[in-house]
């Protein structure tokens, strides 16, 4: 029999140390895992640290040059991509306070059209630097002020001639001559026409905050105020003679005038509702209102009714100044109607292609 050998003392100690160390490590690992489990259960789910997103926004620089000399006026920097041209104009106004936004005209090219305020600046960018040309549009007025001034003048001027001021007519001759009823009817119709325009400017038409040069308002006022003075002078003159066919001519013409005024109003209301209803853009369609049925024949019935009012007023008063004014209005309204008709053809071709602009067949 072989005698069992005892390990030597150093080897015995080394084995015990290794075995005890392993037990100690196993015990420590168990306790650590237990403590970690308790920590997780008490604190809830562990959240991963947030990932930092580094968003890089590209800003634009707008270089503004004078349209005549091509010299640099200023550089508007740090323009966000979401900015509009109106935002650029406001920053340009801060740099150059003498030019407020409404009188600033900006172009991509020297001979190009003026850019609209609603244009997004990013749509103009080819690089981070955008070059625009500046034009001083001059003194500007709002569209509401423009129309209120243009229409208030004829209303007041006509009334001054209607009451026959002594500074305009001979006072003795004014008291002797009898006024024909058409003179009073003409005053009523003329005032009704411009009162309708004023009320529609305030409550029907919606202007987008645009502006127009002051010189345009001066031209418009000179045209309307001047013709009103000429028309009112002849109709309210003490020696004014009534129309050739008498009461029948006046009655039919006055009825046509009132119908055209009503039609013009209902068309303007329809157009205003169409533009601001929030629905998908489409060509205005006739409603149950008979005055809107003219949309079936022409694309600009408001101009048709406007011309009809002045032609009726000419027949009713039978005066040369009114006839000349009506003739000029036909020319002006036809030009506006053809311009708007071309825009309608681009936007609503299938619906507009068979319609005339203002007067069926003629325009």
């Amino acid at each position: 029999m072989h005698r069992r050998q005892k390990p030597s003392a150093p080897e015995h100690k080394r084995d015990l140390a290794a075995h005890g160390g392993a037990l100690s490590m196993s015990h420590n690992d168990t306790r650590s895992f237990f403590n970690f489990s308790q920590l997780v259960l008490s604190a809830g789910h562990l959240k991963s640290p947030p990932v930092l997103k580094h968003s890089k926004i590209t800003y634009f620089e707008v270089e503004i040059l004078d349209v005549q000399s091509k010299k640099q006026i200023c550089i508007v920097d740090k323009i966000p991509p979401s900015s509009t041209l109106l935002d650029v104009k406001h920053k340009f106004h801060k740099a150059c306070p003498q030019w407020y936004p409404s009188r600033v005209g900006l172009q991509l090219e020297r001979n190009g059209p003026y850019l609209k305020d609603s244009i997004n600046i990013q749509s103009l960018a080819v690089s981070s630097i955008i070059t625009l040309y500046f034009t001083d549009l001059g003194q500007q007025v709002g569209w509401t002020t423009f129309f209120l001034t243009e229409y208030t003048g004829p209303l007041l001027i006509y009334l001054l001639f209607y009451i026959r001021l002594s500074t305009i007519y001979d006072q003795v001759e004014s008291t002797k001559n009898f006024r024909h009823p058409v003179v009073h009817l003409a005053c009523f119709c003329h005032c009704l026409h411009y009162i309708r325009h004023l009320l529609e400017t305030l409550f029907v038409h919606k202007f987008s905050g645009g502006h127009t040069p002051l010189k345009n308002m001066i031209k418009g006022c000179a045209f309307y105020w001047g013709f009103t003075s000429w028309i009112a002078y002849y109709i309210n003159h003490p020696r004014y003679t009534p129309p050739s066919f008498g009461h029948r001519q006046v009655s039919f013409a006055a009825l046509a005038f009132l119908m055209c005024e009503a039609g013009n109003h209902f068309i303007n209301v329809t157009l205003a509702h169409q533009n601001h209803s929030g629905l998908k853009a489409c060509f205005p369609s006739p409603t149950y209102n008979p005055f809107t049925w003219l949309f079936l024949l022409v694309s600009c019935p408001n101009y048709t009714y406007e011309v009809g009012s002045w032609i009726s007023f000419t027949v009713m008063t039978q005066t040369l100044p009114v006839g000349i004014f009506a003739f000029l209005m036909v020319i002006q309204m036809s030009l506006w109607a053809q311009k708007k008709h071309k825009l309608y053809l681009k936007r609503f071709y299938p619906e507009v292609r068979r319609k005339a602009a203002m007067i069926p067949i003629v325009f």
Side-chain angles (χ1 to χ4, degrees):
M1 296 180 60
H2 295 283
R3 186 175 294 178
R4 185 177 179 182
Q5 296 181 354
K6 295 182 180 180
S8 62
E11 291 178 357
H12 179 68
K13 291 180 180 179
R14 188 168 53 248
D15 292 340
L16 289 176
H19 183 67
L23 291 175
S24 176
M25 288 178 62
S26 176
H27 181 68
N28 290 338
D29 291 342
T30 305
R31 292 196 55 164
S32 299
F33 180 77
F34 178 78
N35 293 336
F36 180 74
S37 302
Q38 293 294 326
L39 179 63
V40 170
L41 293 175
S42 62
H45 296 288
L46 289 178
K47 295 183 179 179
S48 59
V51 179
L52 297 178
K53 296 182 180 180
H54 300 282
S55 58
K56 186 178 180 181
I57 300 177
T58 303
Y59 291 95
F60 296 101
E61 290 185 359
V62 179
E63 181 187 24
I64 299 179
L65 307 179
D66 183 76
V67 72
Q68 299 295 336
S69 63
K70 294 185 179 180
K71 292 183 179 180
Q72 185 186 96
I73 300 177
C74 73
I75 294 180
V76 182
D77 57 354
K78 295 184 179 180
I79 303 295
S82 59
S83 299
T84 62
L85 198 68
L86 183 61
D87 299 327
V88 176
K89 289 184 177 181
H90 281 291
K91 290 192 174 184
F92 178 61
H93 173 58
K94 291 182 179 180
C96 304
Q98 67 271 27
W99 293 307
Y100 51 90
S102 61
R103 69 182 295 171
V104 174
L106 297 177
Q107 304 160 274
L108 271 177
E109 301 176 355
R110 295 182 66 188
N111 298 324
Y114 293 113
L115 301 174
K116 295 182 178 180
D117 292 344
S118 59
I119 291 181
N120 188 281
I121 198 66
Q122 192 172 13
S123 64
L124 305 175
V126 179
S127 63
S128 60
I129 300 178
I130 305 171
T131 301
L132 299 177
Y133 293 94
F134 161 76
T135 301
D136 184 8
L137 301 178
Q139 187 73 22
Q140 303 286 302
V141 293
W143 283 111
T144 302
T145 304
F146 176 88
F147 288 116
L148 290 179
T149 306
E150 192 174 68
Y151 296 143
T152 304
L155 179 64
L156 299 178
I157 290 173
Y158 197 97
L159 292 176
L160 292 177
F161 283 91
Y162 176 73
I163 61 178
R164 290 183 176 178
L165 295 176
S166 58
T167 56
I168 301 177
Y169 304 110
D170 182 75
Q171 195 66 22
V172 177
E173 194 175 30
S174 299
T175 54
K176 287 183 180 180
N177 290 345
F178 170 75
R179 290 196 187 193
H180 195 273
V182 70
V183 175
H184 305 291
L185 182 60
C187 180
F188 170 78
C189 292
H190 191 276
C191 292
L192 176 66
H193 178 78
Y194 285 101
I195 289 175
R196 178 184 63 80
H197 274 302
L198 291 172
L199 293 178
E200 288 178 352
T201 300
L202 293 173
F203 304 108
V204 177
H205 300 301
K206 304 295 182 182
F207 304 104
S208 58
H211 296 79
T212 185
L214 179 63
K215 60 182 180 181
N216 289 347
M217 189 180 75
I218 296 176
K219 291 179 183 178
C221 290
F223 177 78
Y224 280 98
W225 295 15
F227 262 103
T228 299
S229 302
W230 192 21
I231 291 170
Y233 176 80
Y234 274 88
I235 296 178
N236 296 286
H237 198 279
R239 297 183 182 181
Y240 168 76
T241 55
S244 303
F245 296 96
H247 179 71
R248 180 176 297 179
Q249 177 179 344
V250 173
S251 300
F252 280 108
L255 181 61
F257 178 87
L258 295 176
M259 291 181 63
C260 289
E261 287 295 302
N264 202 339
H265 172 70
F266 288 120
I267 292 296
N268 288 332
V269 171
T270 303
L271 292 174
H273 177 73
Q274 181 73 18
N275 294 334
H276 301 277
S277 60
L279 302 177
K280 184 179 179 180
C282 60
F283 185 77
S285 57
T287 63
Y288 62 88
N289 190 336
F291 290 103
T292 63
W293 295 350
L294 200 57
F295 273 120
L296 297 172
L297 301 176
V298 297
S299 59
C300 304
N302 52 330
Y303 296 145
T304 307
Y305 282 123
E306 183 75 13
V307 168
S309 295
W310 286 111
I311 294 176
S312 303
F313 195 77
T314 303
V315 176
M316 181 177 64
T317 58
Q318 195 174 312
T319 54
L320 179 63
V322 182
I324 295 176
F325 182 75
F327 176 73
L328 294 177
M329 291 297 289
V330 170
I331 296 176
Q332 183 62 73
M333 294 294 167
S334 64
L335 294 176
W336 288 345
Q338 290 178 25
K339 184 178 180 180
K340 186 173 289 187
H341 185 71
K342 291 179 180 179
L343 295 177
Y344 284 154
L345 285 175
K346 293 180 180 179
R347 297 180 60 188
F348 318 112
Y349 176 75
E351 302 172 79
V352 184
R353 64 187 180 91
R354 295 180 180 271
K355 302 179 189 295
M358 187 179 73
I359 301 177
I361 302 174
V362 180
F363 295 110

